[in-house]
Amino acid sequence: MGIRKVLTDGDETLRKKSRKVEKIDDRTITLLDDMSETMYAENGVGLAAPQVGVLRRVIVMDIGEGLLELINPKIISKKGAQIKAEGCLSVPDVFGEVKRPDSVVVSAMDRKGKKIRIEGSGLLAVCLCHEIDHLDGILFTDKVIKYIEPDTDKI
Ligand code: NI
């Protein structure tokens, strides 16, 4: 497979709710591999499966601290608030400030089906919230409080 096409705003798939992964099979592993390859090729810091047209609860991200692959991610707690600039590979050339929790705890599975728990603050919390929103058909533009000039990393 390899690099997949990233859907852009206006495509109905981006507005649909993704379903849980019930069983991690070869297709799931290929999806994960393709998603990270696509994310790096597009210089994004995160990518959710619906962005490549697959309505499954799978996200990948790398905020510069290594690749994170999360299957069925769920926010189990959040704390505080922060306002940071965001962008999105599915909404090219649009950037805006969004209010997110300052820190979150997320439960998920890794590619081996092992339960994992991620505690993220700052950019990692933003990225986790942004990508998990994609799984529910929500785009960051739904939450923008102020649009800004394009000079930000794409999430
Ligand atoms: Ni996005």
Side-chain angles (χ1 to χ4, degrees), residues 51 87-89 130-131 134 155:
Q51 292 182 272
C88 180
L89 293 175
H130 177 118
E131 301 310 333
H134 273 299
I155 290 179

Side-chain angles (χ1 to χ4, degrees), residues 14 46-48 51 86-91 100 127 130-131 134 138-140 154-155:
L14 292 171
L47 193 69
Q51 292 182 272
E86 295 184 26
C88 180
L89 293 175
S90 292
V91 192
R100 302 280 192 188
C127 201
H130 177 118
E131 301 310 333
H134 273 299
I138 299 164
L139 297 177
F140 85 99
K154 291 175 183 173
I155 290 179

Side-chain angles (χ1 to χ4, degrees), residues 30-48:
T30 304
L31 174 65
L32 281 166
D33 290 343
D34 289 357
M35 282 174 63
S36 57
E37 200 178 333
T38 305
M39 173 182 75
Y40 289 125
E42 300 280 348
N43 296 314
V45 298
L47 193 69

